[in-house]
Amino acid sequence: QVQLVESGGGLVQAGGSLRLSCAASGRTFTSYAMGWFRQAPGKEREFVAAISWTGSATISADSVKGRFTISRDNAKNTVYLRMNSLKPEDTAVYYCAARLRHLAVVADEYPYWGQGTQVTVSS
């Protein structure tokens, strides 16, 4: 099993940047693909980005391509989401998730989740 704790959320003006972090417990972090999802009020949870267990493959949603970058540091058991050029529509609770081996874009395929961190982008 793996436990996940997100941090780095906050309030930022449109056009600004934030970096989210997700710290994972356990000694098998390198076995897990990691994903970021978000959920805005009244909306379903949506995929943002994912990275393979080796870090060699990433995928991101069209809505964040060119603005958000997912990365991981396996030595620190941490995955990051760098968010640039933030827009008000990026406002949501951001969740980190983990699944064994291969990345996925569907939330139901991730068995492990963090508690979420709030990101609010003001216009």
Side-chain angles (χ1 to χ4, degrees):
Q1 284 204 0
V2 60
Q3 293 182 330
L4 306 171
V5 178
E6 301 97 333
S7 61
L11 174 64
V12 64
Q13 288 188 333
S17 298
L18 283 174
R19 189 182 76 163
L20 305 183
S21 299
C22 173
S25 65
R27 293 175 288 179
T28 59
F29 177 69
T30 54
S31 297
Y32 290 87
M34 303 296 295
W36 285 98
F37 292 78
R38 65 186 182 186
Q39 188 167 18
K43 295 187 177 181
E44 293 187 354
R45 192 168 297 189
E46 66 170 348
F47 170 75
V48 176
I51 188 167
S52 64
W53 62 288
T54 62
S56 61
T58 63
I59 188 170
S60 57
D62 288 344
S63 59
V64 305
K65 277 181 181 176
R67 299 189 300 124
F68 291 11
T69 302
I70 188 170
S71 62
R72 66 189 296 160
D73 185 338
N74 286 342
K76 296 183 178 180
N77 281 13
T78 301
V79 63
Y80 303 98
L81 185 68
R82 177 67 181 182
M83 305 185 295
N84 296 328
S85 303
L86 282 161
K87 304 175 181 179
E89 51 263 44
D90 294 319
T91 295
V93 177
Y94 282 72
Y95 297 90
C96 173
R99 70 187 303 268
L100 282 173
R101 298 298 182 183
H102 304 296
L103 58 81
V105 302
V106 178
D108 287 347
E109 296 189 21
Y110 287 83
Y112 305 109
W113 290 83
Q115 83 290 348
T117 185
Q118 176 70 47
V119 172
T120 302
V121 184
S122 63
S123 57

